[in-house]
Amino acid sequence: MLNIAENINLKGYNTFGIEAFCTYFTEVNSIADFQELITHPVFINNERLIIGGGSNILFTKNFNGIVLKNNLKGKEIIFEDNDTVVVKIGAGESWHGFVLWCIEKGFCGVENLSLIPGCVGASPMQNIGAYGVEIKEIFEELEAYDINTGSKKVFKKEECKFGYRESVFKHEFKNQYLIGSVSFKLKKHADVNVSYGAITSELQTAGITNPGIKDVSDAVIRIRQSKLPDPAVTGNAGSFFKNPEVSAEKYNQLKVDFPDLVAYPLANGNYKLAAGWLIEQAGLKGYQHHGAAVHNKQALVLVNMGQAKGGDVMELSAYVLQKVFDKFGVKLEREVNII
Ligand code: FAD
Ligand code: EPU
C-alpha cells in the first residue's frame, strides 16, 4: 500500500548521517506501488530522488521534492547450467546480503565486492568496484522502469556504458529510471581473483595458499574493516573522490618530484593515481573542518565527526581539491552524488 509521508528527516537514510529534510517521502515495496505512485499528483508535480541505502549521497540542503526509497526484494535463479548461473536480484536487496547468499550457495564472482554498503539497485549506477573487480565483469542485464511512463526497459551491458565509477544512469539517463532488478552471471566453481596486492598479503598472513570464495571474502572484509570507517559508527560515504587518470607525460613529471607516487598503468597508456596518497601527501590526513574531517586511516574518505552539515563536507572537499591541485597540479573529481 502506497503511503506518502511529509517533512521527513533523512538523517537515518544516508550513511553520512547528515540531517536534511524532504518535503515528501515514500517507500516502494512492489512494482504495483511504483505504478500507483507515478500517477499520484505529488509525484507528478515534484522533483524526485530515488534512494537505496543512501551510502553514496551527500545532502547539502533539504530536498524540495519526493524521495522514493526502493525496497523491491527478491533473489531468483533464472538460468543454470553445469558451470554458470544467472541470478536476478531485487534492487532493494542489501548488496552485502546478496554477496553472502552467493558465498553460501558457492556462486563465484562477487566475493571481492564483500561489505560494500548499499543496495543492489545502485550497484550499476557507478559500476561498483573493489579489490580488482567491477560489477561490469559479472553484469548480465537490468530491468528499469521509466519514472514518467512506468514502462519497463531491459538494459544489456553495452547499453549501460560502464566505466570506472560510471554508467549511463549518472549521465544521459540520470533520474529517468527506477532500477527494479539486476541480473548477474556467476560461476558455479571457485575461480577467484586475488590479483589485488592487499588480498595477496592478507591471505599470506592467514596462511591460506589455495583460497576459496569465502577465504577471499573474509580477507576483503578484514582489509576493509582495518581502514574504512563503519558508517554505523562514523558517518561517511566511502571514497569521496575518484582516483584520477593522468597522461604518461604527467605521470613521468610527477614521478621526478615525487618518487614514491602511487600509480597504476592503464591499458590506454595513461596512469591512475591513488588519490588517497595525494591527499595524505598534501598533509590532509586527519584534517578537520567544522564537523567534517579527512579520515585518519584512509584519506580518500571524508567523515562526519558527529554534527557535520552537508556544507561542512562540501567545503572540506573543496579545500582538499585545492590543496591537491596546488601541490600536484592534478584535479580530483568528486565520486559521491551531491544533492
Ligand atoms: P544510494 O546512495 O542510495 O544511491 C546512489 C545513487 O544511485 C543515487 O544517485 C541514487 O539516486 C541512485 N539510485 C539508488 N538506487 C537506485 C535505483 N533503484 N534506481 C535508480 N537509481 C538509484 N563503492 C564502490 O564502488 N566500491 C567500494 O569499495 C565502496 N566502498 C564503500 C565503503 C563505505 C564505508 C561506504 C559508506 C560506501 C562505499 N561505496 C563503495 C559507495 C556505495 O556503497 C556504493 O556506491 C553503493 O552502490 C551505493 O548504494 P546505495 O543503495 O547506498 O545507493
Ligand atoms: N593510500 C595512501 N594514503 C591513504 C589512502 C591510500 O597512501 O590515506 C595509498 C595506499 O597505500 C595504496 C593506495 O593508496 O597504496 C590505494 O589505496 P586502497 O587500496 O585503500 O584503495 P583506494 O584506491 O584508496 C579504491 C576505491 C575503493 C575500493 C578500494 C579497493 C576509488 C575511488 N576507491 O580506493 O572504493 O574499496 O580501491 O579496491 O576507486 C568507494 O568507491 O567508496 C571505495 C571505498
Side-chain angles (χ1 to χ4, degrees):
M1 248 278 283
L2 190 65
N3 173 38
I4 299 179
E6 291 183 30
N7 199 29
I8 293 296
N9 189 346
L10 298 168
K11 191 176 164 118
Y13 292 99
N14 71 96
T15 61
F16 251 122
I18 300 280
E19 188 162 283
F21 286 80
C22 61
T23 330
Y24 302 101
F25 182 90
T26 190
E27 304 205 23
V28 163
N29 297 307
S30 65
I31 298 299
D33 276 358
F34 175 69
Q35 298 294 0
E36 186 185 341
L37 177 68
I38 62 170
T39 63
H40 198 288
V42 162
F43 192 79
I44 293 170
N45 298 319
N46 280 281
E47 206 182 321
R48 305 92 179 232
L49 173 67
I50 299 168
I51 61 166
S55 65
N56 208 21
I57 289 182
L58 174 67
F59 287 102
T60 57
K61 53 181 182 304
N62 291 335
F63 183 72
N64 187 12
I66 179 162
V67 170
L68 181 174
K69 172 148 173 40
N70 182 325
N71 283 340
L72 298 172
K73 293 280 163 56
K75 297 193 196 85
E76 212 186 323
I77 294 173
I78 56 170
F79 171 83
E80 194 167 9
D81 63 17
N82 285 342
D83 303 318
T84 55
V85 61
V86 178
V87 295
K88 180 177 169 181
I89 311 297
E93 292 285 351
S94 129
W95 176 266
H96 185 58
F98 161 56
V99 171
L100 294 179
W101 179 80
C102 290
I103 290 167
E104 190 190 302
K105 295 212 167 303
F107 300 158
C108 176
V110 280
E111 56 283 354
N112 295 49
L113 304 174
S114 296
L115 214 60
I116 297 181
C119 296
V120 169
S123 63
M125 293 292 299
Q126 66 159 11
N127 173 30
I128 58 168
Y131 301 99
V133 173
E134 290 182 335
I135 64 144
K136 71 171 184 200
E137 290 155 47
I138 45 163
F139 179 91
E140 185 71 3
E141 63 180 36
L142 65 78
E143 283 179 6
Y145 297 84
D146 187 307
I147 64 165
N148 293 305
T149 65
S151 64
K152 183 164 108 178
K153 175 166 165 53
V154 173
F155 285 82
K156 296 283 184 192
K157 194 189 299 200
E158 315 73 56
E159 295 170 282
C160 297
K161 297 191 191 151
F162 289 128
Y164 165 60
R165 300 294 191 269
E166 287 295 350
S167 77
V168 278
F169 303 104
K170 283 178 84 171
H171 299 285
E172 54 258 54
F173 294 139
K174 192 175 162 90
N175 295 333
Q176 279 188 48
Y177 287 97
L178 170 84
I179 295 171
S181 67
V182 189
S183 300
F184 301 97
K185 189 175 192 171
L186 304 167
K187 290 182 179 154
K188 285 167 81 176
H189 58 275
D191 180 18
V192 294
N193 174 348
V194 293
S195 59
Y196 203 90
I199 300 188
T200 320
S201 9
E202 186 62 37
L203 290 169
Q204 254 166 19
T205 310
I208 297 166
T209 47
N210 188 16
I213 53 177
K214 180 150 191 328
D215 298 317
V216 173
S217 170
D218 289 345
V220 167
I221 289 173
R222 283 196 297 273
I223 299 164
R224 296 182 71 98
Q225 285 175 337
S226 72
K227 53 181 162 187
L228 290 169
D230 177 357
V233 180
T234 308
N236 76 96
S239 301
F240 198 86
F241 304 96
K242 293 184 188 178
N243 285 326
E245 185 174 329
V246 297
S247 66
E249 191 191 355
K250 176 72 183 173
Y251 164 78
N252 287 324
Q253 276 169 14
L254 284 170
K255 198 74 185 158
V256 174
D257 294 333
F258 307 99
D260 297 336
L261 181 73
V262 180
Y264 318 94
L266 298 173
N268 63 6
N270 289 344
Y271 284 80
K272 191 178 271 189
L273 306 182
W277 186 89
L278 299 175
I279 298 169
E280 180 170 356
Q281 296 304 311
L284 294 172
K285 209 169 191 172
Y287 178 85
Q288 195 169 342
H289 172 74
H290 301 304
V294 177
H295 186 48
N296 56 15
K297 288 192 194 148
Q298 223 299 1
L300 197 44
V301 178
L302 303 187
V303 295
N304 176 356
M305 300 299 285
Q307 300 299 322
K309 303 209 171 358
D312 298 341
V313 182
M314 266 314 263
E315 284 164 18
L316 174 62
S317 71
Y319 184 73
V320 170
L321 275 169
Q322 190 59 51
K323 285 285 177 193
V324 167
F325 187 75
D326 291 347
K327 189 167 171 100
F328 301 102
V330 172
K331 199 165 179 296
L332 295 182
E333 198 187 321
R334 294 180 179 90
E335 190 240 66
V336 170
N337 297 284
I338 312 291
I339 307 294

